[in-house]
Amino acid sequence: MIHQLKPQDLRKGIVTKKIDWKQIREKEPPKLLIGQERALRSLEFGIGNKRGGFNIFVSGYPGSGKLKAVNHFLEEKAKLEVTPDDWCYVNNFQNSFYPKKLKLPNGGGQTFKLEIQRLISEIQKILITAFESKEYHDRKDQIIEDFRQKEKKLFQNIHNKARAHNFAVTRTPIEILVIPIDDKGRPISDEKFNKLGKKERETILNKQSELKKELFDLIRKNRELERASNESLLELDESIATYSIDTLLQELNDKYKDFEDVLLYLLEIKKDIITNLHSFLKASLSQDRQDYKQELKFQKYDVNVITDNTEVFGAPIVLELNPTLNNLFGKVEHESYMGTLITNFTLIRGGALHKANGGYLIIALKDLLMSYFSWDSLKRALKNNEIVIEDAREQFGIISAKSLKPEPIPLDIQVILIGSPRLYYLLYELDEDFKELFKVKAEFDTSMDYSSQNIKDFAGVTYGIQKENELYPIDDEAMGRLVEHASRMAEDKEKISIKFREIRDILHEADHYARLAKKNEIGAEDINEAVEARYYRSNLIQVKINEMIKRGRLMIDLEESRVGQINGISVLDLGDISFGRPNKITASIASGKVGLIDIEREAKLAGPIHTKGILILQGYLLEKYGQDKVLSLFASLVFEQSYSEIEGDSASCAELFALLSSLAQLPVKQGIAVTGSINQKGELQPVGAINQKIEGFYEVCFQSGLNGDQGVIIPKPNLDNLMLKEEVLTAVKQGLFSIWAIDTVDDGLEILTGLTAGKRLQGGSFSKNSVHCKVDERLKELNRNLLPVTPASNEETSNTH
């Protein structure tokens, strides 16, 4: 059935007077999101389910309001949840390369840090006071005096015994000597000793040896006394330090009695100070507080607050715009000291996972995948429920400075990834962990149904954008024009696009034109100018192509009729715009058995979908004409002057018309372009970008001069997609340009050739003088041309001679 379209069929307009725009603008608050019921239900279910891999993937195209919706639901949910605890890192006094974690109540991290700083300062003061007190020095002097008295008593006997046997005991800085003396107490010289008799000398030496042995025993006992004395002094110091520190620690121990890790850390501080008491006191008394080593002696008692939730109310919400490994998981920084990189636990820095721990983390998937190691590390953290701070250089296998291995922090988080549908399906297929970790999909649509309520909702959101961005007011006609443009963006009369990022950009530009014109509101003409200006800025390539067609460099016939030649329409998508351009398609027929040849495929310029369309043509020919004979022909199809890859099947209908025209030797009208795909039964199927294709061919015809015989044939299922520009509607209304919607190939043949397509009769032939009849006769002729020539008989040969 042929349906020549009227202007009202080509665009769906909105009667602005039937809608109370004022009430929408002034009384009805705009909805958060419109047309996203499916996505909203997914978010309602998913947000808050932090266990079992119920992380969320928010799928949708830019401008669909994904981030806005996620933030709204998170804010509503997060403020009802418990604020998470703070996390800190403290020194590991047993092995400083493995810092320990501490968990404190929310907001308690900074408080504990200050308490420890105050504790160390007070310990310094109280220990200095205690060890400078008279009581301490008296007790210390008493211990020393007791040792000296015991030492004196211990050696008094050996001195008396030595004198009784004419010996003197003398101490030097390096040894104790036993020296023989005379009656006057003077040491016996070597000369005098040698003059003594042998027996007397032996007696002296033997006695000297006995005294030395006895003296060495006394020295050993003296050392034991000295050791005991030192231990007493150490016990004195420890007892005073313990008493002083315990006095200060009692308050903190009482406060943190329910936090075992904190109590253990306080005990370790106490042990470390007592163990290193003299260096602690020395550092406390030192006046050179700027010395780096001196600072380190007290820095080991600091508290490094990694997560501070003091200002957080409810669960934290973190949006990470640059999800590198360090930004997500934190890092260990290094400082340069005398040409060497050094580090300590106070240089550990937290990441987005630490900030969002106990709450929600939002990440753009594309940025995450482009950051080295971030995706794998995030999956590992979610599977193990812990945050491990890693050095990226180690991942690369690069030798780095010796670093720390902080104790992992338990992870309780819900991750929301935002990305395109393509990335979702790729990860779902290629990454086996993805489907286990992101079980909730919230998919955002780009359009909604065209209904009165949805138009009002669209207007409410648009008014909200206008007020939020302090733009000029939008008059009623302009709002109606925006609704129409949104329907064109959706490429469907029964849909409205909800890509509000693009709507916002159009409003900004329209506001600019309204201000230039010194208006006080945005009118429909400003919307039109904004839309056309955005297109004009990007369509230079289209203008150049149309100019080449006008000058004959691209050979497109727009008048008369040709055999085996037709104009198809392709679409060039440049990213910011897409537009249609005509392509001359030609077909050549000859006798042969090769069949249908697609020159584009043979030249490796055809994509798989285009190749499929050519194979469907073969199926149509077999279905239509091969029921009573074997089809034997050589046919070639080509897009003339096409030098780039061709993809898609939207030209398959035009290719079939060119092929049938060449077979039937019937000319087709060159002023009529064709778009549409077909199936093997000859039915036309809808194609994409139908508005751009029609408008593209219209512009080519317009610049060459409209003559009333030009137009476009489209598939009837594309009727709902028509939202054409006003100039096309005007040309159709004036009878200068036509658009036909057809169901089958037969409808198109009648428009293009002026003949009836024809039907198959009971005997298998087609109705006389129809297009199909002429095609069928030509195919039979091609078959006959391939029959072998029968050699003449001998009798006929002799008669001839």
Side-chain angles (χ1 to χ4, degrees):
M1 180 178 179
I2 301 172
H3 186 193
Q4 186 168 357
L5 304 182
K6 298 178 181 180
Q8 59 266 29
D9 299 323
L10 306 179
R11 184 185 186 91
K12 186 170 186 175
I14 180 172
V15 182
T16 58
K17 294 181 180 180
K18 291 185 178 181
I19 300 177
D20 190 350
W21 302 107
K22 183 177 180 180
Q23 181 180 3
I24 301 172
R25 182 169 51 245
E26 297 178 358
K27 297 181 180 180
E28 296 183 9
K31 296 180 179 180
L32 171 69
L33 279 176
I34 58 175
Q36 303 291 3
E37 287 75 13
R38 182 186 303 275
L40 296 182
R41 288 184 63 181
S42 297
L43 291 175
E44 287 175 353
F45 161 74
I47 289 177
N49 295 331
K50 299 179 184 177
R51 297 290 182 181
F54 282 92
N55 297 291
I56 303 172
F57 187 98
V58 179
S59 171
Y61 293 95
S64 54
K66 302 184 296 296
L67 184 58
K68 185 176 181 181
V70 168
N71 277 326
H72 170 76
F73 276 98
L74 287 180
E75 288 170 1
E76 293 296 318
K77 180 72 175 177
K79 65 184 181 182
L80 302 177
E81 297 184 19
V82 177
T83 305
D85 296 323
D86 289 355
W87 287 97
C88 307
Y89 275 115
V90 294
N91 185 35
N92 184 341
F93 293 100
Q94 284 71 44
N95 190 335
S96 60
F97 285 99
Y98 297 91
K100 292 183 176 182
K101 66 178 184 295
L102 283 185
K103 182 171 74 170
L104 294 160
N106 62 288
Q110 290 294 343
T111 301
F112 186 67
K113 178 183 177 71
L114 295 175
E115 289 172 341
I116 294 299
Q117 290 176 349
R118 185 168 60 247
L119 173 68
I120 298 302
S121 178
E122 290 176 350
I123 289 176
Q124 288 177 298
K125 294 177 182 178
I126 197 171
L127 289 183
I128 291 173
T129 301
F131 286 102
E132 287 182 349
S133 66
K134 182 177 183 303
E135 181 183 359
Y136 167 73
H137 284 286
D138 288 344
R139 294 176 62 181
K140 181 179 179 181
D141 291 343
Q142 183 62 48
I143 293 173
I144 295 173
E145 183 60 30
D146 289 344
F147 166 71
R148 289 176 178 173
Q149 291 298 326
K150 292 178 181 179
E151 183 184 40
K152 181 178 180 181
K153 183 178 180 181
L154 184 65
F155 283 94
Q156 186 66 43
N157 293 331
I158 193 66
H159 279 286
N160 293 336
K161 188 174 182 179
R163 282 198 204 96
H165 293 86
N166 294 323
F167 283 93
V169 178
T170 304
R171 286 190 178 188
T172 68
I174 60 174
E175 62 181 341
I176 299 177
L177 302 176
V178 179
I179 303 172
I181 57 176
D182 57 18
D183 295 338
K184 296 182 179 180
R186 293 176 296 183
I188 299 176
S189 63
D190 292 341
E191 181 181 356
K192 187 176 181 180
F193 180 77
N194 291 330
K195 291 180 179 180
L196 296 175
K198 180 179 179 182
K199 188 175 181 181
E200 190 175 359
R201 286 200 306 271
E202 289 178 355
T203 302
I204 291 174
L205 291 174
N206 291 334
K207 196 61 180 179
Q208 185 184 41
S209 178
E210 291 178 7
L211 289 173
K212 281 184 177 181
K213 184 178 179 182
E214 188 174 348
L215 182 60
F216 289 150
D217 291 338
L218 291 176
I219 291 172
R220 188 181 68 255
K221 291 179 181 180
N222 185 63
R223 286 176 180 168
E224 293 175 357
L225 290 175
E226 186 177 7
R227 190 178 297 113
S229 177
N230 290 335
E231 289 177 357
S232 297
L233 290 173
L234 185 60
E235 289 175 1
L236 173 63
D237 291 348
E238 289 182 355
S239 64
I240 291 176
T242 300
Y243 175 77
S244 301
I245 295 173
D246 284 344
T247 303
L248 298 175
L249 282 178
Q250 186 60 47
E251 182 179 353
L252 291 178
N253 286 331
D254 292 341
K255 180 177 180 180
Y256 296 102
K257 61 182 179 180
D258 297 327
F259 296 86
E260 186 177 346
D261 290 344
V262 176
L263 295 178
L264 181 60
Y265 175 63
L266 293 174
L267 180 60
E268 289 178 347
I269 289 179
K270 170 185 169 182
K271 289 180 179 179
D272 185 78
I273 293 175
I274 293 174
T275 302
N276 304 283
L277 185 59
H278 290 288
S279 61
F280 183 88
L281 288 172
K282 183 179 178 181
S284 301
L285 293 168
S286 174
Q287 299 300 315
D288 185 13
R289 304 307 300 272
Q290 301 302 317
D291 181 70
Y292 187 80
K293 289 185 176 180
Q294 199 77 340
E295 291 179 6
L296 287 179
K297 292 180 180 178
F298 297 106
Q299 192 178 60
K300 64 180 177 179
Y301 304 115
D302 283 350
V303 176
N304 184 4
V305 181
I306 297 297
T307 305
D308 181 15
N309 291 315
T310 305
E311 303 297 328
V312 177
F313 301 97
I317 303 170
V318 177
L319 171 62
E320 181 51 60
L321 299 176
N322 184 23
T324 62
L325 183 66
N326 288 341
N327 287 349
L328 283 177
F329 290 86
K331 59 184 176 180
V332 178
E333 295 179 345
H334 291 74
E335 292 180 340
S336 178
Y337 175 67
M338 297 183 67
T340 303
L341 289 177
I342 63 173
T343 187
N344 59 72
F345 75 96
T346 63
L347 297 177
I348 301 173
R349 302 291 179 256
L353 284 172
H354 296 91
K355 295 177 184 177
N357 200 5
Y360 305 90
L361 176 62
I362 307 170
I363 308 174
L365 177 60
K366 181 180 178 182
D367 297 331
L368 180 67
L369 295 177
M370 292 179 67
S371 298
Y372 287 110
F373 310 116
S374 294
W375 174 240
D376 287 335
S377 298
L378 178 62
K379 290 191 298 179
R380 189 160 49 248
L382 293 175
K383 285 190 288 187
N384 299 330
N385 294 318
E386 63 180 17
I387 309 171
V388 179
I389 297 179
E390 301 175 287
D391 191 340
R393 292 171 297 183
E394 293 182 1
Q395 301 271 11
F396 278 112
I398 299 174
I399 299 175
S400 61
K402 190 173 183 181
S403 190
L404 308 179
K405 296 290 184 183
E407 189 176 2
I409 290 178
L411 179 63
D412 177 23
I413 198 171
Q414 187 169 40
V415 176
I416 297 102
L417 294 181
I418 296 180
S420 66
R422 175 179 175 82
L423 288 177
Y424 174 85
Y425 294 119
L426 283 174
L427 284 176
Y428 198 89
E429 179 181 357
L430 301 176
D431 192 328
E432 60 183 14
D433 296 324
F434 177 75
K435 63 187 70 175
E436 295 299 324
L437 295 174
F438 292 87
K439 296 180 179 179
V440 180
K441 179 185 180 185
E443 190 164 17
F444 279 69
D445 203 349
T446 57
S447 63
M448 62 181 178
D449 293 336
Y450 194 105
S451 65
S452 297
Q453 184 58 49
N454 283 345
I455 290 174
K456 294 178 182 178
D457 292 340
F458 177 90
V461 173
T462 305
Y463 286 133
I465 294 173
Q466 174 249 317
K467 294 174 183 177
E468 181 182 346
N469 293 274
E470 299 180 351
L471 305 177
Y472 272 0
I474 307 169
D475 72 16
D476 296 350
E477 293 295 329
M479 182 57 70
R481 180 67 186 91
L482 265 179
V483 174
E484 291 178 13
H485 182 70
S487 187
R488 176 181 168 89
M489 287 167 56
E491 296 187 350
D492 194 328
K493 291 179 183 177
E494 304 303 322
K495 297 288 183 180
I496 302 175
S497 173
I498 46 180
K499 293 182 178 179
F500 282 105
R501 180 182 297 179
E502 188 170 338
I503 298 296
R504 181 191 61 198
D505 293 342
I506 291 172
L507 280 177
H508 274 283
E509 192 162 343
D511 178 81
H512 171 74
Y513 294 128
R515 293 176 189 273
L516 287 179
K518 301 187 182 305
K519 300 179 181 178
N520 55 10
E521 62 180 2
I522 298 173
E525 63 278 5
D526 301 311
I527 299 295
N528 289 333
E529 187 174 2
V531 172
E532 292 301 323
R534 286 163 62 85
Y535 187 82
Y536 174 79
R537 291 194 294 267
S538 302
N539 77 330
L540 179 60
I541 293 178
Q542 181 186 17
V543 172
K544 294 293 184 183
I545 291 174
N546 291 347
E547 182 182 344
M548 293 172 70
I549 293 174
K550 184 177 181 180
R551 298 175 64 182
R553 295 185 180 182
L554 287 178
M555 300 170 64
I556 301 294
D557 294 328
L558 299 174
E559 297 179 355
E560 300 180 353
S561 298
R562 298 281 188 273
V563 174
Q565 178 177 308
I566 196 169
N567 289 323
I569 312 176
S570 62
V571 171
L572 292 181
D573 190 345
L574 303 180
D576 51 350
I577 68 163
S578 60
F579 59 89
R581 58 153 292 188
N583 294 93
K584 180 190 288 188
I585 300 173
T586 61
S588 297
I589 302 294
S591 297
K593 294 185 178 181
V594 177
L596 183 58
I597 297 297
D598 177 20
I599 294 179
E600 307 297 335
R601 181 177 62 181
E602 297 300 318
K604 299 188 183 333
L605 289 176
I609 299 176
H610 181 267
T611 299
K612 178 184 177 182
I614 296 297
L615 296 176
I616 290 174
L617 296 188
Q618 294 179 350
Y620 173 82
L621 294 176
L622 292 171
E623 171 78 15
K624 199 73 175 178
Y625 307 108
Q627 302 300 314
D628 55 354
K629 58 184 170 297
V630 176
L631 297 185
S632 299
L633 79 160
F634 175 88
S636 65
L637 284 167
V638 69
F639 278 66
E640 302 289 358
Q641 291 185 283
S642 174
Y643 309 106
S644 58
E645 184 174 334
I646 295 174
E647 181 59 306
D649 63 349
S650 63
S652 59
C653 185
E655 289 170 320
L656 178 60
F657 287 143
L659 186 62
L660 295 178
S661 169
S662 184
L663 283 168
Q665 289 297 294
L666 289 173
V668 296
K669 299 172 184 178
Q670 298 300 294
I672 300 177
V674 178
T675 183
S677 69
I678 64 166
N679 59 28
Q680 295 187 114
K681 302 298 182 180
E683 298 170 329
L684 263 71
Q685 302 168 146
V687 294
I690 194 69
N691 294 300
Q692 289 83 352
K693 290 177 179 178
I694 295 173
E695 291 165 357
F697 188 70
Y698 167 81
E699 290 181 18
V700 171
C701 294
F702 178 80
Q703 71 175 4
S704 299
L706 297 173
N707 57 23
D709 294 329
Q710 297 149 335
V712 179
I713 294 175
I714 66 171
K716 192 173 182 181
N718 277 123
L719 279 175
D720 285 341
N721 303 114
L722 295 178
M723 286 294 293
L724 294 171
K725 293 181 178 179
E726 193 64 39
E727 54 262 38
V728 181
L729 272 67
T730 301
V732 171
K733 191 173 184 179
Q734 294 173 353
L736 298 175
F737 195 77
S738 300
I739 301 172
W740 296 270
I742 62 175
D743 292 307
T744 66
V745 170
D746 292 354
D747 298 335
L749 287 174
E750 294 180 4
I751 296 171
L752 291 167
T753 65
L755 299 179
T756 60
K759 296 182 179 180
R760 186 180 291 275
L761 304 177
Q762 288 184 353
S765 61
F766 292 93
S767 52
K768 294 286 186 180
N769 296 322
S770 67
V771 177
H772 289 310
C773 178
K774 293 181 180 295
V775 172
D776 193 55
E777 289 176 354
R778 180 71 186 282
L779 289 171
K780 291 176 181 178
E781 179 185 350
L782 292 173
N783 277 351
R784 288 194 297 270
N785 292 338
L786 290 176
L787 292 176
V789 178
T790 304
S793 64
N794 293 334
E795 182 179 354
E796 290 174 340
T797 304
S798 62
N799 291 336
T800 302
H801 287 294

